[in-house]
Amino acid sequence: NYVADMRTLPKEHLRGLYLNVHNRVIRDEVISIGTVSANIIPPREIFRTAIECNAVAMILVHNHPSGEPTPSSEDVEVTKVLIEAGKIVGIHVLDHVIVSSEGALSFAETGRL
């Protein structure tokens, strides 16, 4: 429900929910806006914001304008890269959520993390 506003966006948006030690959102930021079918996910920008706001964890959220919340192979690969990058800088990637007009998919809930 927190990111329901992303369900009907016409372009892909990547949003970072940056969390404190109690898993409360301390910053909610649109990181990038892509096209109808693609978005560049810049790890440096994602973790720069996390470091600036002293986040200890984050949840990544992006939308699929197509309506299909199933992750693409690129979504899966980028998520793996971001999890590894987070380990290096000490910021835990708790989840990557894909939202669409047809619903949402949580990488954590589906065992993809």
Side-chain angles (χ1 to χ4, degrees):
N1 289 333
Y2 186 84
V3 293
D5 60 317
M6 295 178 70
R7 290 183 180 186
T8 58
L9 294 172
K11 295 181 179 180
E12 280 200 15
H13 286 61
L14 173 66
R15 196 160 144 187
L17 307 178
Y18 300 96
L19 310 173
N20 66 15
V21 70
H22 302 290
N23 286 337
R24 293 198 177 100
V25 176
I26 54 175
R27 188 175 297 176
D28 177 343
E29 182 174 291
V30 174
I31 299 164
S32 65
I33 299 173
T35 65
V36 172
S37 61
N39 195 352
I40 297 172
I41 299 178
R44 184 169 70 180
E45 296 303 316
I46 292 168
F47 288 102
R48 178 190 341 224
T49 300
I51 292 166
E52 286 174 356
C53 70
N54 292 317
V56 298
M58 73 172 79
I59 298 171
L60 299 168
V61 183
H62 85 275
N63 65 306
H64 280 179
S66 68
E68 175 58 51
T70 303
S72 67
S73 58
E74 292 85 5
D75 292 337
V76 173
E77 189 57 38
V78 166
T79 302
K80 289 178 184 177
V81 168
L82 293 173
I83 289 169
E84 290 306 311
K87 288 177 184 176
I88 292 168
V89 296
I91 298 169
H92 187 64
V93 177
L94 291 178
D95 204 352
H96 182 172
V97 177
I98 299 172
V99 297
S100 75
S101 59
E102 299 299 316
L105 181 136
S106 159
F107 277 59
E109 288 180 6
T110 59
R112 289 180 166 95
L113 284 186

